[in-house]
């Protein structure tokens, strides 16, 4: 330090010696205090932050999680056990259980957590409504399924299924099968004795699938059989049936059908075709060939149609094979049809088989061709073997 007199001249100076170690020690002490203060402040801030996060984030999230788990537990116990009416949980009008864990959530954080809580409350209501709807739909589906099972049995009972159908008659053998694509089908076959001297044979296919086709099938089968039992000729049977089916046919359904009446003693066979697939005929010791005839219009397609009859003679040993388009239109995984050529070839592999063995063999050929592909149409077949004069030895 310099010292000056009144004139400004230096008359003395003073020098102070300070230890740098002491200065550095003081500096370090200050830094330690500052660091400790900073650490304490950071710890305090972290604790406060943790408490805030725990209160406003973790706790609400845990509440939501516990409520969700409780909802699942309540739902499982309610759906998985039968409890008495007094012990059942009260259900509100909106389908959600009263005082459920989710409905009691009371989160007011003003942020996304509150939005999540409200969304879960809404979700609970929608889930309960969905479960109620699903339960109703499932119950209705089960009811319909049970009714369809009954309808399937009723439809099966309407068709002749006991074979041999006429064990006391040795002039002919007849056999038929039907495999519907759905629970009930639109195909049908029927055969019956008009009188002791005549056998009627019918095979038909109603357009469409399922219940509507099955109902229309019942009507068509009943009309055809009733007219045939009145001993009308096949042409008149189809003409009258067509007129009645056209009445009130607002659904626009129609029927392809083939009918023949066999004079058992002579083999005279009068038949009529209403837009149906042509059958195949095998003469004794021969192969199956197509029985071509000019088909008439489908039944229920147009009023005023008159159906033309055809006549042929069956000889002892002859076999007639009738079918619906579900046979030739059976489709494999590559969308290839079974087709008429494969059908004829399958029939001619063992053409002399009895009809009760021939039809299952053809069904086996169809199944082998189709494989795992879904069946889209009813598969119906009928086989008639004529022996004549009550003697099967001619076959």
């Amino acid at each position: 330090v310099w010292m000056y007199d009144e004139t400004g001249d230096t008359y003395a100076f003073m020098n102070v010696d300070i230890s740098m170690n002491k200065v550095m020690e003081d500096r370090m002490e200050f830094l330690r205090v500052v660091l400790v203060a900073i650490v304490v402040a950071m710890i305090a801030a972290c604790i406060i932050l943790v408490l805030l996060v725990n209160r406003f984030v973790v706790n609400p999230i845990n509440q939501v999680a516990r409520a969700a788990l409780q909802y699942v537990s309540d739902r499982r116990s309610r759906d998985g056990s039968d409890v008495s009416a007094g012990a059942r949980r009260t259900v509100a009008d909106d389908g959600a259980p009263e005082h459920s864990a989710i409905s009691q959530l009371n989160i007011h954080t003003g942020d996304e957590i509150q939005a999540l809580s409200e969304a879960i409350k809404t979700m609970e209501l929608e889930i309960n409504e969905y479960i109620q709807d699903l339960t109703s739909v499932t119950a209705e589906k089960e009811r319909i399924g049970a009714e369809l099972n009954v309808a399937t049995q009723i439809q099966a009972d309407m068709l002749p299924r006991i074979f041999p159908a006429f064990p006391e008659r040795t002039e002919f053998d007849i056999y038929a099968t039907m495999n519907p694509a759905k629970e009930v089908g639109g195909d049908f076959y029927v055969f019956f004795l008009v009188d002791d001297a005549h056998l009627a044979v019918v095979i038909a296919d109603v357009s469409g699938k399922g219940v509507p086709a099955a109902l229309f099938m019942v009507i068509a089968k009943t009309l055809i059989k009733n007219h045939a039992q009145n001993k009308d000729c096949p042409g008149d049977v189809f003409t009258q049936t067509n007129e009645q089916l056209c009445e009130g046919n607002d659904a626009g359904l129609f029927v392809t059908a083939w009918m023949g009446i066999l004079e058992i003693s002579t083999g005279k066979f009068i038949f009529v075709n209403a837009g149906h697939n042509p059958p195949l005929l095998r003469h004794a010791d021969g192969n199956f060939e197509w029985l071509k005839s000019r088909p008439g219009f489908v039944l229920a397609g147009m009023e005023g149609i008159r159906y033309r009859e055809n006549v042929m003679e069956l000889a002892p040993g002859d076999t007639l094979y009738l079918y619906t388009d579900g046979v030739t239109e059976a489709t494999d995984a590559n969308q290839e049809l079974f087709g008429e050529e494969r059908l004829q070839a399958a029939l001619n592999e063992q053409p002399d088989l009895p009809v009760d063995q021939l039809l299952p063999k053809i069904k086996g050929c169809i199944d082998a061709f189709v494989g795992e592909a879904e069946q889209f149409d009813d598969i119906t077949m009928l086989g008639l073997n004529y022996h004549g004069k009550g003697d099967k030895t001619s076959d």
Side-chain angles (χ1 to χ4, degrees):
V1 178
W2 294 89
M3 304 181 69
Y4 301 96
D5 59 14
E6 295 178 352
T7 62
D9 295 328
T10 301
Y11 67 89
F13 68 90
M14 182 178 61
N15 185 23
V16 179
D17 186 12
I18 300 175
S19 173
M20 292 302 297
N21 291 335
K22 181 63 176 175
V23 172
M24 294 302 296
E25 289 178 2
D26 292 343
R27 182 179 178 185
M28 292 302 297
E29 182 67 22
F30 175 77
L31 290 175
R32 280 194 292 271
V33 172
V34 172
L35 288 174
V36 169
I38 292 173
V39 169
V40 171
M42 290 181 63
I43 292 174
C46 289
I47 293 174
I48 293 173
L49 180 62
V50 169
L51 293 175
L52 291 174
V53 170
N54 190 62
R55 178 176 179 181
F56 294 103
V57 178
V58 177
N59 284 343
I61 290 177
N62 286 337
Q63 291 180 39
V64 171
R66 285 193 297 269
L69 291 174
Q70 186 63 42
Y71 172 80
V72 173
S73 177
D74 290 346
R75 174 60 63 181
R76 285 178 176 174
S77 64
R78 185 165 57 254
D79 294 342
S81 62
D82 292 327
V83 295
S84 64
R88 291 185 184 275
R89 182 184 296 271
T90 303
V91 178
D93 293 338
D94 58 6
E98 291 182 354
H99 310 303
S100 68
I102 292 179
S103 66
Q104 295 183 68
L105 287 174
N106 188 23
I107 298 173
H108 299 286
T109 58
D111 56 10
E112 291 81 359
I113 304 299
Q114 181 177 347
L116 175 62
S117 173
E118 298 300 325
I120 289 179
K121 289 182 180 180
T122 303
M123 183 184 69
E124 180 194 26
L125 298 178
E126 293 179 352
I127 288 176
N128 285 321
E129 290 176 0
Y130 174 76
I131 291 175
Q132 281 191 327
D133 293 342
L134 183 61
T135 301
S136 300
V137 170
T138 301
E140 182 68 12
K141 185 176 180 180
E142 291 176 352
R143 183 187 65 80
I144 293 175
E147 292 180 356
L148 283 176
N149 289 335
V150 175
T152 301
Q153 188 61 43
I154 291 174
Q155 184 181 44
D157 292 341
M158 292 182 63
L159 304 178
R161 293 188 299 160
I162 299 176
F163 299 99
F166 306 100
E168 73 283 357
R169 304 302 297 257
T170 58
E171 301 95 332
F172 60 88
D173 284 331
I174 193 165
Y175 187 77
T177 62
M178 187 185 80
N179 300 95
K182 295 186 177 182
E183 290 83 356
V184 289
D187 285 8
F188 70 90
Y189 63 84
V190 63
F191 47 82
F192 54 92
L193 291 170
V194 178
D195 52 40
D196 288 341
H198 295 87
L199 172 71
V201 177
V202 181
I203 191 168
D205 181 5
V206 179
S207 61
K209 306 287 187 301
V211 175
L215 293 174
F216 205 72
M217 177 274 277
V218 173
I219 299 172
K221 173 183 174 295
T222 302
L223 291 174
I224 291 174
K225 186 173 183 179
N226 287 345
H227 288 302
Q229 287 179 325
N230 290 333
K231 298 185 178 182
D232 295 336
C233 61
D236 289 341
V237 170
F238 273 16
T239 297
Q240 296 176 58
T241 299
N242 176 68
E243 292 300 313
Q244 291 176 288
L245 289 178
C246 286
E247 296 175 2
N249 184 19
D250 296 334
L253 297 175
F254 61 87
V255 186
T256 68
W258 196 98
M259 177 183 182
I261 295 181
L262 172 66
E263 189 174 55
I264 300 173
S265 60
T266 65
K268 181 181 179 182
F269 199 67
I270 303 174
F271 64 94
V272 61
N273 187 348
H276 199 73
N277 306 77
L280 291 100
L281 176 65
R282 171 187 176 264
H283 293 295
D285 300 325
N287 288 327
F288 280 94
E289 301 292 341
W290 296 101
L291 180 61
K292 298 294 185 179
S293 62
R294 186 174 181 179
F297 201 60
V298 297
L299 300 177
M302 182 183 300
E303 296 178 352
I305 301 294
R306 297 199 61 84
Y307 291 87
R308 180 184 302 176
E309 297 174 344
N310 300 271
V311 181
M312 66 176 176
E313 298 287 336
L314 292 182
D318 288 357
T319 301
L320 182 67
Y321 172 81
L322 306 172
Y323 64 98
T324 61
D325 58 8
V327 173
T328 53
E329 294 179 5
T331 307
D332 65 6
N334 297 320
Q335 301 301 307
E336 185 177 357
L337 299 179
F338 185 69
E340 295 180 348
E341 292 183 2
R342 285 189 180 88
L343 173 60
Q344 187 175 12
L347 287 167
N348 287 325
E349 286 178 2
Q350 293 176 287
D352 56 348
L353 281 178
V355 288
D356 61 343
Q357 298 178 31
L358 180 65
L359 268 59
K361 175 188 179 299
I362 300 303
K363 183 60 167 60
C365 292
I366 295 171
D367 292 340
F369 172 78
V370 171
E372 298 298 324
E374 182 180 359
Q375 179 182 337
F376 290 102
D377 200 359
D378 306 331
I379 296 177
T380 305
M381 297 179 285
L382 186 148
L384 170 65
N385 181 250
Y386 179 64
H387 304 296
K389 298 181 181 179
D391 184 9
K392 288 190 179 184
T393 58
S394 61
D395 188 13

